[in-house]
Amino acid sequence: MARLRPLVGKWYKDMESEQLFEVVAVDDDSDSVEAQLIDGELCQYDMESWRQLSLEQVEEPEDWRNAFELSDDDYRFLDDTMVPENWNNPLSEIESDVINGLLDEY
């Protein structure tokens, strides 16, 4: 079997353990691969260990969100960017000490 390069966002099946996982990070500096198993557990492989795995690239499982109890609604706005109404004034988010003309003293 050809050795597969770890690609972030791709799903793999370990042929020996029958475990499904998604690659969530590849760190070239530390020469490691971080993966998330279908049950949500995170694991890390060094590149030497990755090369020794008997892997097959697979399609994303239909039920992979069940372990996290997520629904399609949780991903409806995934690509929407949340932007504050006013980037110009960071103090606008701080509550005032003055309420209705009275100073809030501690």
Side-chain angles (χ1 to χ4, degrees), residues 60-73 75:
E60 174 184 294
E62 289 182 26
D63 61 348
W64 72 270
R65 292 182 227 163
N66 289 349
F68 307 105
E69 297 179 2
L70 300 175
S71 68
D72 290 335
D73 291 337
Y75 291 91

Side-chain angles (χ1 to χ4, degrees), residues 20-87:
L20 293 177
F21 62 89
E22 177 186 15
V23 171
V24 294
V26 176
D27 188 349
D28 293 327
D29 294 334
S30 66
D31 216 22
S32 65
V33 177
E34 189 169 330
Q36 187 166 24
L37 303 176
I38 196 162
D39 65 1
E41 183 180 343
L42 291 174
C43 62
Q44 189 171 8
Y45 300 98
D46 59 42
M47 286 306 243
E48 183 62 33
S49 298
W50 176 268
R51 288 184 199 101
Q52 293 176 4
L53 294 172
S54 178
L55 297 174
E56 177 181 291
Q57 190 170 342
V58 295
E59 292 294 318
E60 174 184 294
E62 289 182 26
D63 61 348
W64 72 270
R65 292 182 227 163
N66 289 349
F68 307 105
E69 297 179 2
L70 300 175
S71 68
D72 290 335
D73 291 337
D74 294 325
Y75 291 91
R76 182 174 294 154
F77 303 107
L78 188 62
D79 293 331
D80 290 348
T81 304
M82 302 297 270
V83 179
E85 291 180 21
N86 185 357
W87 282 97

